[in-house]
Amino acid sequence: MLCCFVILCWFLLCSLLVQRGFDQQWLSLTFSKAIFLGNGLIAILSGLFGNVLVDTLGLGPVAPFDAAACFLAIGMAIILSSWTENYGDPSESKDLLTQFKGAAVAIASDEKIALLGAIQSLFEGSMYTFVFLWTPALSPNEEEIPHGFIFATFMLASMLGSSIASRLMARSSTRVESYMQIVFTISSASLLLPIVTNFLVAPSDVKGGSISFKGCIQLLGFCTFEACVGIFWPSIMKMRSQYIPEEARSTIMNFFRIPLNIFVCIVLYNVNAFPITVMFGMCSIFLFVATLLQRRLMVISESQRSRPQDWKERDPEAESLNI
């Protein structure tokens, strides 16, 4: 509901920080606050408000969508009345095909950009698939689960993750490329819980009722995954600001969203064709691949950082003798 408008405001503030040349550390802090406030606090309030509309007021399952449309209309009115359009430099305007050609060249010429785009696509693909899977996973026998409160719990976990990310990025000794390997590994393991519980916990044939013990275990894993999502967003934003040129950043990331959106559409179209455990297993594999790619990105980044230092430590006289 309010989340989209709040996140959009924070992203505008981030772009202003970049354009004005402020301290890079401010950018990392702004990213973490955007996830904490926009994706976290406001999302929790939205989930609780949606739960009140459905359960307390009895307005039906469509009521949260109607409320979201109202808030989006208010946000649109505020944007149209107070924001000015940034058209950029007219002399540098390019058509869409030229922009995508430039993005393809940048991706092919820099392995770090290709790795970062693949990592984001793999994680976002798993995340968007999870959004459509957590409800049937927690209520396989049509259990009565409080969707609004569970969503608020997810957002609380995401807030915790963004808070952890802000503290990690504030430490000069901790590199994003390093701790994100752990984040991807934990997120991969957390989405394996539905598969593990399917083998270890006997399924129940009783229809209805409250959330089962199996569902509680899965809920714990899903909250862990949402905490990883909270760490992921500000961290991937910081890496994008480091590795992808600002003038082509949006085009390059949109280049990777093409296969991402195709994948999500295919998954949603065939969501009933495969068991839910297969879907979670596929997402877990994607996240494990993201871990390997993140490891590769860290190795490349460290090797390139060490080259200038190695060059400075060389002895010019010794180099001339070797020649």
Side-chain angles (χ1 to χ4, degrees), residues 240-255:
R240 284 197 314 226
S241 66
Q242 291 175 345
Y243 297 127
I244 303 179
E246 181 186 355
E247 59 274 9
R249 188 173 302 158
S250 60
T251 306
I252 290 174
M253 297 317 301
N254 287 331
F255 194 93

Side-chain angles (χ1 to χ4, degrees), residues 43-58:
I44 290 175
L45 297 177
S46 299
L48 296 177
F49 181 59
N51 197 81
V52 169
L53 292 177
V54 175
D55 293 339
T56 305
L57 301 180

Side-chain angles (χ1 to χ4, degrees), residues 38 116 119 121 158 179 189 208 240 242 256 260 277 305 309 311:
L116 192 61
I119 289 169
S121 295
S158 181
Y179 71 74
R240 284 197 314 226
Q242 291 175 345
F256 283 101
L260 167 64
T277 53
R305 287 182 61 187
Q309 183 178 359
W311 175 260

Side-chain angles (χ1 to χ4, degrees), residues 112-168:
K112 298 191 300 298
I113 296 178
L115 288 171
L116 192 61
I119 289 169
Q120 178 164 338
S121 295
L122 288 170
F123 190 91
E124 287 190 17
S126 303
M127 181 185 66
Y128 294 143
T129 305
F130 163 78
V131 168
F132 295 97
L133 294 181
W134 71 264
T135 301
L138 296 180
S139 55
N141 294 319
E142 301 178 1
E143 289 89 346
E144 294 292 336
I145 61 175
H147 295 86
F149 285 106
I150 292 177
F151 175 77
T153 304
F154 287 164
M155 294 301 101
L156 182 63
S158 181
M159 287 179 62
L160 176 62
S162 64
S163 179
I164 293 174
S166 64
R167 284 163 173 75
L168 290 174

Side-chain angles (χ1 to χ4, degrees), residues 138 193 197 201 211-222:
L138 296 180
L193 270 181
T197 55
V201 181
I211 187 170
S212 62
F213 174 71
K214 176 182 176 181
C216 292
I217 298 177
Q218 293 181 8
L219 180 60
L220 180 62
F222 294 164

Side-chain angles (χ1 to χ4, degrees), residues 72-95:
L72 288 174
I74 295 173
M76 181 183 66
I78 295 175
I79 291 172
L80 290 176
S81 61
S82 60
W83 288 12
T84 57
E85 183 61 64
N86 181 13
Y87 295 100
D89 189 355
S91 62
E92 296 181 358
S93 60
K94 302 176 182 178
D95 57 71

Side-chain angles (χ1 to χ4, degrees), residues 35-47:
I35 304 303
F36 185 86
L37 295 176
N39 245 17
L41 181 61
I42 301 300
I44 290 175
L45 297 177
S46 299

